[in-house]
């Protein structure tokens, strides 16, 4: 019993020290958005939808302004219409790989991965986001290198999504 408590305490201290608790809930003050992905990238779109839904944000398909829909409300003070929820137009992310270090045999040992995307919020707020990571390669561990690279790219995408939500909240 004491061993279980000891392992539990060590696990809690490990989680507390690793920065896991520093991940904040989404910073937005909105609970629904309209989404329009500008290119055909279904995998990215599904991941974005899953990320937004994990923060309990409802996602609506973007529709053109129509008097029959409930996407707009009428403001009697200014005699104009205004949007109830933010419109997010987003492009597919791009990934660039830059070689940094080669060994004496000419094999790549370190590379820089940069993922970037652009988005527009409510037709006027343009956002360019970029995340960069460096990846150490080992020629004896090519399968592990590839698996690590997939994880790094996934984490970079999550960071881009979080940055996007932060910009939308401003």
């Amino acid at each position: 019993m004491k061993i279980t408590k000891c392992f539990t305490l060590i696990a809690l201290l490990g989680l507390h020290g690793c920065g896991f608790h520093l991940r904040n809930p989404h910073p937005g003050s909105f609970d629904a958005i309209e989404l329009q992905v500008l290119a055909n990238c279904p995998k990215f779109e599904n991941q974005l939808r899953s990320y937004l839904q994990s923060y309990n944000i409802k996602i609506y398909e973007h529709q053109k302004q129509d008097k029959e829909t409930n996407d707009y409300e009428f403001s009697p003070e200014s005699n104009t219409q205004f949007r109830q929820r933010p419109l997010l137009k987003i492009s597919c992310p791009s990934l660039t790989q830059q070689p940094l270090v080669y060994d004496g045999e000419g094999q790549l040992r370190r590379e820089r991965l940069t993922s970037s995307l652009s988005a527009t919020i409510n037709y006027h707020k343009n956002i360019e986001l970029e995340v960069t990571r460096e990846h150490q390669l080992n020629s004896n561990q090519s399968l592990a290198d590839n698996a690590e690279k997939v994880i790094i790219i996934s984490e970079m995408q999550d960071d881009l999504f979080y940055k996007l939500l932060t910009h939308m909240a401003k």
Side-chain angles (χ1 to χ4, degrees), residues 89-146:
K89 289 185 175 185
I90 191 165
S91 64
C92 293
S94 63
L95 179 70
T96 56
Q97 301 172 344
Q98 177 186 10
L100 295 177
V101 177
Y102 289 94
D103 65 4
E105 299 169 359
Q107 293 185 349
L108 182 63
R109 293 293 182 201
R110 185 178 206 115
E111 67 181 346
R112 179 174 290 136
L113 303 172
T114 304
S115 183
S116 59
L117 65 84
S118 60
T120 304
I121 301 172
N122 291 335
Y123 297 107
H124 64 279
K125 189 175 181 183
N126 293 322
I127 300 172
E128 297 289 331
L129 301 174
E130 186 174 280
V131 176
T132 303
R133 300 282 187 278
E134 290 188 5
H135 179 229
Q136 188 79 25
L137 300 163
N138 183 348
S139 61
N140 298 327
Q141 302 283 331
S142 62
L143 291 176
D145 283 343
N146 289 336

Side-chain angles (χ1 to χ4, degrees), residues 4 6-7 13-14 26 38 41 43 49 54 62 72 88 91 96 103-104 112 116 128 134 140 152 155-157 165 169:
T4 307
C6 183
F7 283 126
L13 288 174
H26 91 85
L38 299 176
C41 45
K43 183 179 178 185
R49 286 177 182 279
S54 72
H62 173 64
Y72 293 84
L88 173 62
S91 64
T96 56
D103 65 4
R112 179 174 290 136
S116 59
E128 297 289 331
E134 290 188 5
N140 298 327
I152 290 171
E155 289 175 351
M156 290 170 64
Q157 191 166 355
L165 288 177

Side-chain angles (χ1 to χ4, degrees), residues 49-64:
R49 286 177 182 279
S50 295
Y51 187 84
L52 294 172
Q53 289 170 348
S54 72
Y55 285 111
N56 296 323
I57 299 173
K58 280 188 166 183
I59 301 167
Y60 295 92
E61 296 298 320
H62 173 64
Q63 299 175 356
K64 301 226 185 274

